[in-house]
Amino acid sequence: DNNNNDDDEIEDIVKLEEIVSVRPIFSKEPEEEESTKLQRFRRKYFPKKTNDGLTFKQKMAKAGLSVVLSYGWISNVTTSVTVSLAWYIFSKNTGLSPLAPGQWKGFLAIYAGFYVFNSIIRPLRFGLSVGVSVYFDRVIQKIQDIFKVKKGLAIFLTVFLANIVGTCTLMASGIFLASTAAGVPVWG
């Protein structure tokens, strides 16, 4: 209901902007002549949603293998960072490790907030994965060139190194740093 009010307000502002808009006499681009600054802002930052009927996973598959691999890596990185932040907050507030007996529930309550945050920034993570995908392509190609292996094995090695070894290393390092910063032992 609140979203409808916001949408109505935006539409009213756009209508008002159209009514009071003065077209420039000289315009460098025809598009500028046909719309106001507010309309261009809306089109740029709030494009109309396309309903192509695809699920998020289907959109990922359509985007290509490197985007899917980089999305997995970016998701793992953001999860590692948010788990580490939740670990620090919990340890600092309680003086205990989440691994101490009976503390896991409290830690998960803090992490749940970060989980919601990660869900909200999913479109941003997807956008980042498109940008990062070129590096995954390069890594796969480099592994193929150096080790003279087929693409399938190069992809497996990339996933293993980046998404498994890299994630475990980042998670362990983040938890260690969070515990150290909070002054609470990891296992305590």
Side-chain angles (χ1 to χ4, degrees):
D1 188 44
N2 196 17
N3 286 340
N4 288 339
N5 290 340
D6 292 342
D7 291 342
D8 292 341
E9 287 177 17
I10 291 172
E11 287 177 16
D12 291 343
I13 291 170
V14 170
K15 287 176 186 173
L16 180 62
E17 182 74 23
E18 288 173 353
I19 292 169
V20 297
S21 170
V22 177
R23 289 187 174 174
I25 296 172
F26 300 102
S27 178
K28 294 181 180 177
E29 295 182 23
E31 180 180 304
E32 287 181 15
E33 249 179 51
E34 297 173 6
S35 62
T36 65
K37 288 181 182 180
L38 180 60
Q39 289 168 329
R40 287 190 304 273
F41 176 83
R42 281 189 65 204
R43 273 196 306 272
K44 183 175 181 179
Y45 295 105
F46 302 101
K48 291 183 179 177
K49 295 179 182 177
T50 57
N51 188 4
D52 54 9
L54 297 177
T55 66
F56 182 74
K57 287 182 181 181
Q58 290 169 331
K59 287 179 185 178
M60 291 292 292
K62 185 178 175 183
L65 178 65
S66 292
V67 173
V68 173
L69 295 176
S70 61
Y71 179 79
W73 180 75
I74 287 173
S75 291
N76 290 347
V77 168
T78 57
T79 298
S80 296
V81 168
T82 55
V83 164
S84 301
L85 288 171
W87 195 287
Y88 171 77
I89 291 168
F90 178 82
S91 295
K92 192 71 174 171
N93 288 341
T94 64
L96 299 168
S97 167
L99 299 178
Q103 301 306 307
W104 196 244
K105 243 184 196 178
F107 167 75
L108 290 178
I110 293 173
Y111 178 70
F114 285 107
Y115 182 83
V116 169
F117 172 75
N118 275 340
S119 297
I120 291 170
I121 65 166
R122 179 179 279 177
L124 175 65
R125 292 187 342 230
F126 181 73
L128 285 172
S129 68
V130 172
V132 171
S133 67
V134 295
Y135 299 106
F136 271 82
D137 281 335
R138 289 180 192 164
V139 169
I140 291 168
Q141 187 61 53
K142 196 71 159 172
I143 289 173
Q144 280 184 276
D145 294 344
I146 292 173
F147 298 109
K148 308 291 185 225
V149 296
K150 293 184 179 184
K151 189 171 185 174
L153 182 56
I155 291 168
F156 170 78
L157 291 172
T158 302
V159 169
F160 178 75
L161 292 172
N163 287 353
I164 298 172
V165 174
T167 299
C168 290
T169 302
L170 183 60
M171 182 78 74
S173 300
I175 289 172
F176 173 77
L177 289 173
S179 291
T180 302
V184 176
V186 173
W187 303 105

